[in-house]
Amino acid sequence: MVEGGFTKLLRKKLFFHLAQKYQPLGSGEPEEEETHEECELKIIEQEKEVAVLPPKDACKCHKEDLAKALNVDLQTGLSECSVLQRRLKHGWNEFSVENTEPIWKKYLDQFKNPLILLLLASALVSVITKEYEDAASITMAVLIVVTVAFIQEYRSEKSLEELNKLVPPECNCLREGKLQHLLARELVPGDIIYLSVGDRVPADLRLIEVTDLLVDESSFTGEAEPCNKTDSVLMEAGDITTLSNVVFMGTLVRYGKGKGVVIGTGENSQFGEVFKMMQAEETPKTPLQKSMDRLGKQLTLFSFGIIGLIMLIGWLQGKHLLGMFTIGVSLAVAAIPEGLPIVVTVTLVLGVLRMAKKRVIVKKLPIVETLGCCNVICSDKTGTLTANEMTATRLVTSDGFQAEVSGVGYNGEGNVYLLPSKEILKEFSNVSVGKLVEAGCVVNNAIIRKNSVMGQPTEGALIALAMKMELADIKDIYVRNKEIPFSSEQKWMAVKCTLKNQDQDDIYFMKGAFEEVIQYCSLYNSGGISLSLTPQQKAFYQQEEKRMGSSGLRVLALASGPELGKLTFLGLVGIIDPPRAGVREAVQVLLDSGVSVKMITGDAVETAVAIGQNIGLCNGKLKVMSGEELDQLAEAELSSTVKNVSIFFRTSPKHKLKIIKALQRAGAIVSMTGDGVNDAVALKSADIGIAMGQAGTDVSKEAANMILVDDDFSTVMNAIEEGKGIFYNIKNFVRFQLSTSISALSLITLSTVLNLPNPLNAMQILWINIIMDGPPAQSLGVEPVDRDTIKQPPRRITDTILSKSLILKIFMSAVIIISGTLFVFWKENPKGGINPRTTTMTFTCFVFFDLFNALTCRSQTKLIFEIGFFRNRMFLYSVLGSFLGQLAVIYIPPLQKIFQTENLGVLDLLFLTALASSVFIVSEFIKLCEKHCCQPKHTKACHN
């Protein structure tokens, strides 16, 4: 209703404005005013409601048909009247993010966690039983955990808003015959836009005029090379990468200039498609969240079991049921480890901080642990596995010399090595290589500043090559007289130059596709001398060009000479966007640990396979699949097929999403790494989305859960290692806390059921609880990650925190602690009744058992001598503090009165230490047996 009223009001204002605007000067007659108002009303009513043109339709339209469909004059542009009318229908050229849930509701949603609900229930029971201190401490713990989780998640929910940052704030638009500088959000379908170098395209445009226009669509399609754009009509429309007469919102003009008509704005653009897909996607629950949910349910059942058992025993003994119910509820509340959510949160926060030191930003706490389950990493190629910096890697001179080039990017670091001798070449130490590099530097419009290229990336690669040869300044000795620019038809570029301060003939330098450049050559260079070009030489060059092309290189041919048609062929340069440093090693470690790595790219199959082989995907055994082939597969067939494919090429954002969903249906925990807008949807739908910090777009960074600050793919290994370590630390804590709480509860339960005197008084139980939930327990959560963790296979998503083996170990430790404590209680229990010595010995025995139990809980599989006594200093300090605290309770008179203890002799302490160490010795012995008897099977796989 409100929107309808606003529209009517806008129409009335528009009519009034137009009536005033077109009123003839000097005329004040009311009839004429009415006539003009009626005229303007007619114009608006006759204004055709222009529909958005899909790119695949627009690319096949002639200019006249395009102008007719969009109801625009291509020479003068739209009128203000048409613009306002169209905006009513199409809205602003921006993305509106609907905030469906208020902040308070998002905060309350955090309380839906079963473990949190269980803790709140125990706090309520504590209030009913008048244990107000317990209720306050549990409530405080819950609030801390919920608030930390809420802040982390709230900060990470901005992915849709960030799409607006890609829409440039301003653009050059033709309206009413005048070129105007407008905000991009004001554009409507039918607007005429002028593009020049450095502009970010403000909306989807159908080009109607171009001059050497090159557009970087890498963030959108994954193509490393800028796309050559035309204004000619296409007969057929393939996928968006083939639409050479259409440019898309958010892409970047690298070279040349152009003019186009807006065919799609805001959510109706191709970026709008990504926006809608992101709106539809929900971030999946992490395995840790699922494990914590299961643990909460298990502990709830355990609590009800305790209540039921005690009530049954009480009923059989003829005791009052309400009294037994109160005891049962109190014990059940005590059994719930209220410290667990805090330890989990603290462990995750510390993991996040450790990752930050390794230049990895983690935006959602549970995501750190999810990496421990990750068994498939899908990675974008351009900008992720590769640096998105074109680099010359191979040279073949016209007289047969071959050289390889080291170093990546535009910083000039690296060398040119002559093969096979590996001699480092500088300047003209090898004349043939020097002349080839010189030509590439001269026939060039790129400039390298601050390690980034201004101009075409391939030209930047030739400048970087010249820098490595110390020839970057050689173009300054020439004066450029003429340039024949590159075009998609001729496939070459040439410049006519003369040497500075010398009266010599003109010299042409040419670069381009081999088959085109060779047609202008009649000679070839041999050690600085020009010789006649023979058919055999041409065949040799053609063979070399094919060999380089098949290995994924983009091949440029170079020539120079006095005139076109009489050029001297100089050789070939192979250029590629090479893998980042450390990627090959990282992929190998991941494959060895049972993590499958898949490459998903918009690039061509040759380039994708070359990079895949270079980085060792699946040890070179590659299976590839195109986006078109993906579309033809049914959902069920897709899930079984994608597991065996290593490389997906010519893919769109929809394909990436399809691949991830298929892998998830097959039971995989999928991590997606990417840097472009085309990766954003996949990053959000994956279990772990990882974006690049430097090369990544704002959209990809916001859609992701993690950001690699230095764009270093190898840091994913550190993240996976951290994720596995965190889960093990949580298990260690759970084992310690549950074995301690079960022991304490069993002692109290046995004494209550059997009508025995209580071996521990209230203050002693409180002290044990402090140790159980305090520093020794918390310090288990910060155990440093074991070095062998990365070699372990990924954790199965079905693995719970309370696995069968962990439950057995918990009960084993509990049985030893209970038996040892009851033995001391029996031994020290005189016939005359309990005295302070009895409770002191029993109490100290239980605390010592606790500390030895904590020591063995530092690792589930490794002996204490393997992990080292001093690696976790926080643990050492907390155990030492607890030990000194216990001595203080025994020997300091004021504390003796509070805890009802008395002095113990040295022999007593030695006896208790020897007895309590039994829980440590037995646990370590079991670890040793497991190590030798049950060697874990390690799967070294490309387990697709």
Side-chain angles (χ1 to χ4, degrees):
M1 290 291 289
V2 175
E3 195 179 329
F6 171 74
T7 304
K8 286 175 186 173
L9 181 66
L10 187 60
R11 285 180 190 271
K12 283 179 182 177
K13 283 191 174 182
L14 172 65
F15 301 158
F16 179 70
H17 160 74
L18 289 169
Q20 282 188 319
K21 184 176 177 182
Y22 294 101
Q23 184 175 326
L25 290 169
S27 170
E29 295 297 320
E31 290 86 357
E32 286 191 30
E33 280 184 24
E34 283 173 24
T35 309
H36 280 286
E37 190 170 323
E38 282 173 18
C39 177
E40 293 304 332
L41 280 167
K42 265 187 181 178
I43 290 168
I44 291 166
E45 282 166 14
Q46 287 168 3
E47 165 74 25
K48 227 172 147 188
E49 283 201 337
V50 175
V52 170
L53 263 182
K56 291 188 178 182
D57 293 340
C59 70
K60 294 187 273 189
C61 289
H62 289 276
K63 290 178 190 177
E64 299 77 22
D65 299 331
L66 194 69
K68 193 176 176 184
L70 293 167
N71 196 23
V72 62
D73 185 331
L74 300 180
Q75 303 308 314
T76 59
L78 295 173
S79 67
E80 289 298 331
C81 166
S82 299
V83 169
L84 288 166
Q85 184 71 2
R86 291 179 193 202
R87 191 168 294 132
L88 290 173
K89 183 183 179 187
H90 299 288
W92 297 96
N93 180 30
E94 60 189 10
F95 304 104
S96 57
V97 181
E98 292 176 19
N99 209 357
T100 48
E101 277 192 353
I103 292 174
W104 61 266
K105 192 173 184 302
K106 286 183 180 180
Y107 185 78
L108 290 179
D109 282 347
Q110 300 292 327
F111 288 91
K112 290 180 181 176
N113 185 323
L115 197 59
I116 296 292
L117 292 171
L118 188 60
L119 287 173
L120 289 173
S122 69
L124 183 64
V125 170
S126 298
V127 170
I128 293 166
T129 54
K130 297 185 180 178
E131 300 286 342
Y132 299 117
E133 287 181 2
D134 280 357
S137 64
I138 291 169
T139 306
M140 187 59 69
V142 166
L143 286 173
I144 290 168
V145 169
V146 164
T147 305
V148 169
F150 167 73
I151 290 167
Q152 282 289 332
E153 293 190 16
Y154 182 70
R155 284 171 60 192
S156 71
E157 283 299 314
K158 294 180 188 172
S159 54
L160 298 177
E161 295 168 27
E162 286 298 318
L163 273 160
N164 279 320
K165 289 188 180 177
L166 267 170
V167 180
E170 295 175 338
C171 61
N172 294 312
C173 177
L174 182 70
R175 281 186 186 167
E176 297 188 330
K178 294 174 189 172
L179 191 61
Q180 302 177 30
H181 209 56
L182 300 175
L183 289 173
R185 71 187 295 268
E186 295 179 17
L187 296 180
V188 295
D191 264 325
I192 310 292
I193 304 298
Y194 284 79
L195 300 172
S196 56
V197 177
D199 286 354
R200 210 171 263 285
V201 179
D204 287 1
L205 310 177
R206 161 67 162 88
L207 296 167
I208 52 174
E209 286 179 23
V210 297
T211 308
D212 307 327
L213 186 64
L214 289 175
V215 178
D216 182 356
E217 296 182 345
S218 61
S219 72
F220 194 54
T221 62
E223 287 272 9
E225 256 318 282
C227 300
N228 195 27
K229 295 295 181 180
T230 67
D231 55 7
S232 51
V233 178
L234 301 182
M235 294 300 109
E236 285 184 17
D239 61 36
I240 57 168
T241 58
T242 64
L243 306 183
S244 58
N245 59 5
V246 176
V247 289
F248 301 103
M249 179 194 284
T251 55
L252 189 67
V253 177
R254 285 281 189 191
Y255 189 75
K257 54 187 180 179
K259 178 180 170 186
V261 185
V262 175
I263 56 171
T265 58
E267 292 181 30
N268 293 316
S269 64
Q270 281 298 310
F271 272 46
E273 292 295 314
V274 176
F275 175 81
K276 285 178 216 164
M277 287 165 75
M278 281 180 71
Q279 274 188 319
E281 280 308 307
E282 283 187 19
T283 308
K285 245 188 177 183
T286 69
L288 180 64
Q289 286 168 328
K290 291 172 186 173
S291 292
M292 296 302 289
D293 289 352
R294 280 197 294 270
L295 181 61
K297 286 165 188 170
Q298 287 169 333
L299 290 174
T300 307
L301 291 171
F302 175 66
S303 302
F304 282 121
I306 288 175
I307 295 167
L309 180 67
I310 288 175
M311 286 183 71
L312 178 65
I313 292 168
W315 176 68
L316 291 172
Q317 291 181 336
K319 291 184 179 177
H320 195 258
L321 277 180
L322 186 62
M324 295 308 291
F325 176 74
T326 307
I327 292 169
V329 168
S330 301
L331 290 174
V333 167
I336 296 163
E338 65 266 25
L340 181 59
I342 287 183
V343 163
V344 169
T345 305
V346 168
T347 305
L348 292 172
V349 167
L350 288 170
V352 167
L353 294 175
R354 281 198 294 267
M355 292 309 301
K357 285 179 186 174
K358 294 172 183 174
R359 311 287 286 160
V360 177
I361 295 169
V362 179
K363 291 161 57 183
K364 265 193 176 178
L365 285 180
I367 286 297
V368 187
E369 186 278 332
T370 309
L371 283 153
C373 305
C374 173
N375 49 20
V376 179
I377 294 180
C378 294
S379 180
D380 175 48
K381 178 185 76 69
T382 308
T384 305
L385 295 173
T386 67
N388 198 13
E389 294 179 329
M390 299 302 283
T391 306
T393 58
R394 195 92 181 170
L395 308 178
V396 177
T397 66
S398 52
D399 50 355
F401 285 108
Q402 301 214 6
E404 67 179 14
V405 188
S406 67
V408 176
Y410 307 119
N411 53 20
E413 291 175 11
N415 290 302
V416 178
Y417 300 95
L418 190 66
L419 296 177
S421 65
K422 292 280 184 179
E423 176 196 343
I424 295 176
L425 302 178
K426 296 290 180 187
E427 298 183 332
F428 288 94
S429 57
N430 181 293
V431 176
S432 300
V433 174
K435 287 182 86 63
L436 178 64
V437 173
E438 176 194 32
C441 187
V442 176
V443 61
N444 203 311
N445 290 322
I447 299 167
I448 291 178
R449 280 189 194 147
K450 295 179 182 176
N451 299 340
S452 61
V453 67
M454 296 171 68
Q456 291 186 53
T458 44
E459 292 194 335
L462 294 173
I463 297 285
L465 173 63
M467 288 162 71
K468 292 169 189 175
M469 287 274 289
E470 297 177 2
L471 288 171
D473 297 329
I474 200 159
K475 68 190 299 184
D476 297 337
I477 68 169
Y478 292 97
V479 177
R480 187 181 290 191
N481 301 322
K482 182 185 174 185
E483 178 185 330
I484 304 169
F486 179 90
S487 74
S488 55
E489 289 78 26
Q490 67 187 28
K491 294 183 181 175
W492 57 265
M493 170 193 174
V495 293
K496 184 167 80 168
C497 305
T498 51
L499 284 163
K500 277 185 184 175
N501 306 320
Q502 290 186 33
D503 295 329
Q504 289 192 350
D505 293 336
D506 291 339
I507 180 168
Y508 281 89
F509 291 94
M510 179 186 281
K511 76 166 188 296
F514 166 75
E515 62 274 12
E516 299 298 327
V517 171
I518 200 74
Q519 291 178 23
Y520 292 88
C521 299
S522 57
L523 305 165
Y524 77 94
N525 174 60
S526 179
I529 301 164
S530 295
L531 302 176
S532 292
L533 191 60
T534 62
Q536 290 83 358
Q537 287 295 124
K538 282 186 183 180
F540 167 72
Y541 302 146
Q542 195 167 14
Q543 186 182 343
E544 285 297 316
E545 191 261 345
K546 276 187 180 174
R547 189 172 62 82
M548 289 165 80
S550 64
S551 63
L553 297 173
R554 181 179 179 189
V555 185
L556 285 179
L558 290 127
S560 66
E563 59 182 272
L564 298 178
K566 293 182 181 178
L567 299 179
T568 301
F569 186 73
L570 299 174
L572 305 167
V573 178
I575 296 171
I576 198 169
D577 178 15
R580 289 182 181 276
V583 167
R584 185 180 177 86
E585 294 77 10
V587 167
Q588 197 55 53
V589 171
L590 290 168
L591 292 175
D592 288 347
S593 67
V595 179
S596 175
V597 182
K598 300 180 186 298
M599 183 200 293
I600 308 177
T601 179
D603 229 328
V605 64
E606 295 83 8
T607 310
V609 168
I611 296 294
Q613 288 174 336
N614 201 327
I615 63 175
L617 274 189
C618 272
N619 303 316
K621 297 169 188 172
L622 298 173
K623 187 176 178 184
V624 299
M625 181 180 278
S626 69
E628 283 184 14
E629 289 171 312
L630 267 173
D631 288 332
Q632 290 164 9
L633 291 176
E635 196 173 279
E637 196 182 352
L638 188 63
S639 294
S640 58
T641 307
V642 292
K643 290 190 289 182
N644 305 313
V645 179
S646 304
I647 293 174
F648 298 91
F649 64 97
R650 291 292 184 214
T651 56
S652 67
K654 284 180 185 174
H655 293 135
K656 291 183 180 185
L657 185 61
K658 240 183 173 182
I659 293 162
I660 283 167
K661 293 283 187 191
L663 287 165
Q664 287 172 331
R665 278 196 302 274
I669 298 295
V670 186
S671 167
M672 172 75 196
T673 63
D675 66 330
V677 176
N678 59 328
D679 303 317
V681 182
L683 287 169
K684 192 174 181 188
S685 64
D687 296 284
I688 310 130
I690 306 172
M692 299 292 125
Q694 292 177 354
T697 57
D698 288 335
V699 185
S700 66
K701 287 179 201 173
E702 285 301 321
N705 311 110
M706 278 172 55
I707 299 166
L708 308 182
V709 177
D710 295 330
D711 294 6
D712 186 358
F713 182 80
S714 58
T715 50
V716 173
M717 279 192 308
N718 297 329
I720 288 176
E721 195 174 44
E722 196 68 49
K724 289 176 180 175
I726 281 169
F727 187 75
Y728 296 146
N729 285 352
I730 291 168
K731 284 185 84 164
N732 296 341
F733 169 82
V734 168
R735 177 184 170 181
F736 169 71
Q737 199 171 47
L738 288 182
S739 58
T740 304
S741 61
I742 287 169
S743 304
L745 286 169
S746 300
L747 283 174
I748 298 162
T749 307
L750 285 169
S751 61
T752 306
V753 170
L754 301 174
N755 282 325
L756 295 171
N758 203 328
L760 302 168
N761 62 42
M763 287 307 293
Q764 290 169 353
I765 291 169
L766 180 65
W767 176 250
I768 288 167
N769 259 316
I770 289 168
I771 292 175
M772 188 175 81
D773 288 329
Q778 304 283 334
S779 63
L780 287 171
V782 298
E783 187 72 33
V785 177
D786 187 62
R787 294 174 189 86
D788 294 334
T789 302
I790 191 66
K791 296 174 187 174
Q792 299 299 318
R795 177 170 70 84
R796 288 192 301 272
I797 192 169
T798 51
D799 290 353
T800 58
I801 290 173
L802 278 177
S803 59
K804 284 181 184 176
S805 65
L806 190 66
I807 291 168
L808 287 172
K809 285 174 182 175
I810 286 168
F811 279 111
M812 180 206 69
S813 299
V815 166
I816 295 169
I817 294 169
I818 294 162
S819 305
T821 308
L822 285 175
F823 170 71
V824 170
F825 181 63
W826 169 79
K827 179 177 171 291
E828 297 294 332
N829 196 359
K831 291 177 183 177
I834 290 176
N835 58 31
R837 176 176 169 79
T838 307
T839 56
T840 305
M841 285 290 283
T842 309
F843 171 44
T844 307
C845 178
F846 194 95
V847 169
F848 280 17
F849 263 121
D850 242 14
L851 298 179
F852 275 109
N853 188 32
L855 186 63
T856 195
C857 285
R858 281 180 61 192
S859 173
Q860 300 296 321
T861 53
K862 289 204 168 186
L863 301 173
I864 190 69
F865 305 106
E866 291 178 293
I867 57 176
F869 275 100
F870 306 105
R871 209 160 65 119
N872 187 348
R873 296 201 173 184
M874 185 178 166
F875 177 81
L876 280 179
Y877 296 145
S878 60
V879 167
L880 185 63
S882 300
F883 177 71
L884 293 173
Q886 183 65 24
L887 293 182
V889 164
I890 297 169
Y891 294 109
I892 294 173
L895 292 175
Q896 284 179 335
K897 286 182 183 178
I898 296 168
F899 287 92
Q900 297 172 20
T901 58
E902 66 175 37
N903 293 352
L904 295 177
V906 175
L907 288 176
D908 290 330
L909 290 176
L910 288 174
F911 165 70
L912 292 175
T913 304
L915 180 65
S917 65
S918 61
V919 72
F920 170 76
I921 292 164
V922 171
S923 293
E924 294 294 290
F925 180 71
I926 288 170
K927 287 181 198 174
L928 198 65
C929 292
E930 283 178 344
K931 200 168 188 181
H932 290 287
C933 304
C934 316
Q935 286 285 352
K937 290 179 183 176
H938 180 60
T939 55
K940 184 175 178 178
C942 172
H943 80 250
N944 294 307

